[in-house]
Amino acid sequence: MRTIIIWCIVGAAIGWMLGMAGVQIPDWAAVGIVIALVVVIVGYHAYVLFWTKNIQLVEAYLKKRKKQPYYALMLALANGDLEKAERYAEQLTGKYEEARKSALANIQIEKNQLEEAADIANEIKNDTVRYYNQALVALMQGKEEQFAQAKNNVANRVLRYVLEAEKAFHQGDKKEAEQLGHLAISSARGLQKYVLVRSLERQQKNPNRHSFF
């Protein structure tokens, strides 16, 4: 939003300078230019966060905005820095409330605090995110039936692949886990792909690994 406002001000300033120079721009053209700028800016943000396969682009985007708690949280989660992630998550409010709860649930799962994770997951309003976290908790607790029920309610294809990879990993089928995990990554885009790739890289280096991602 701040970027859009800045570019609107820039557009207005350019229009003012052109006016001072005697260049006449029709009102409809001026409005069209501002709308085009907004569309380009919004489109760029959406492309990076939701569509690109270039995780280096996503990482650069996050690092540039790491002073904002949400983006700092994504960086911390991807790098497994749970202390920082929890601190940034607690700073999220308002429209980021669901992201805060989801992050805290994942942090508790990473810390193997499963009862706490379950309590937080139950408070998440988004069905897909709630069922995804509930499925992860059930898997870690060895509750196969609850895991299957929760996983079947996860609408997001990538998250379903993640859950299936985690199940295969916990069953000791590393080959199946790798196939499903890479299927999840190849199906993901933007921020979701970035977090999955970095999480997998981190887990592969973890001598005490207890999850695929």
Side-chain angles (χ1 to χ4, degrees):
M1 179 59 73
R2 184 175 62 182
T3 303
I4 293 175
I5 293 173
I6 290 173
W7 278 102
C8 284
I9 293 173
V10 170
I14 292 173
W16 177 79
M17 287 188 292
L18 290 174
M20 293 294 291
V23 178
Q24 297 297 320
I25 301 178
D27 290 343
W28 65 266
V31 172
I33 291 171
V34 172
I35 291 174
L37 284 172
V38 171
V39 169
V40 169
I41 294 165
V42 172
Y44 170 74
H45 290 293
Y47 172 73
V48 174
L49 293 175
F50 303 110
W51 295 107
T52 185
K53 295 181 180 181
N54 187 340
I55 62 171
Q56 285 75 29
L57 176 62
V58 177
E59 188 165 65
Y61 180 95
L62 295 177
K63 287 181 176 179
K64 186 176 180 180
R65 293 160 177 80
K66 64 183 179 181
K67 290 185 178 180
Q68 300 177 44
Y70 176 74
Y71 298 115
L73 168 62
M74 294 298 105
L75 281 170
L77 284 175
N79 293 309
D81 193 334
L82 301 183
E83 183 178 344
K84 283 186 178 180
E86 193 163 9
R87 185 167 71 248
Y88 292 131
E90 292 293 1
Q91 295 176 30
L92 298 180
T93 57
K95 65 179 181 179
Y96 292 109
E97 180 64 17
E98 290 289 277
R100 183 184 73 84
K101 291 178 181 177
S102 179
L104 289 174
N106 276 274
I107 290 168
Q108 295 303 321
I109 291 172
E110 285 260 9
K111 293 163 64 175
N112 204 34
Q113 302 291 331
L114 301 181
E115 294 300 327
E116 291 84 348
D119 290 340
I120 297 171
N122 292 338
E123 296 176 0
I124 297 173
K125 295 180 180 179
N126 182 283
D127 289 343
T128 293
V129 178
R130 184 176 68 254
Y131 286 125
Y132 170 76
N133 282 284
Q134 288 174 339
L136 279 180
V137 172
L139 180 65
M140 298 288 286
Q141 292 176 327
K143 300 178 180 178
E144 295 184 9
E145 186 175 343
Q146 291 184 20
F147 167 79
Q149 289 176 348
K151 190 199 76 171
N152 289 339
N153 285 307
V154 174
N156 185 282
R157 180 181 58 170
V158 175
L159 294 181
R160 287 175 65 90
Y161 287 145
V162 171
L163 290 172
E164 290 167 1
E166 293 293 355
K167 179 182 178 181
F169 182 85
H170 280 270
Q171 291 177 337
D173 192 340
K174 293 183 179 180
K175 183 177 180 180
E176 179 74 5
E178 288 178 2
Q179 291 177 345
L180 289 165
H182 288 297
L183 186 57
I185 289 173
S186 65
S187 302
R189 299 288 186 275
L191 182 57
Q192 188 179 55
K193 186 181 188 74
Y194 168 75
V195 172
L196 288 177
V197 170
R198 290 291 182 253
S199 295
L200 178 58
E201 291 173 348
R202 174 169 52 85
Q203 290 295 346
Q204 288 173 334
K205 297 176 183 178
N206 182 4
N208 301 312
R209 185 178 185 182
H210 64 272
S211 64
F212 187 79
F213 285 105

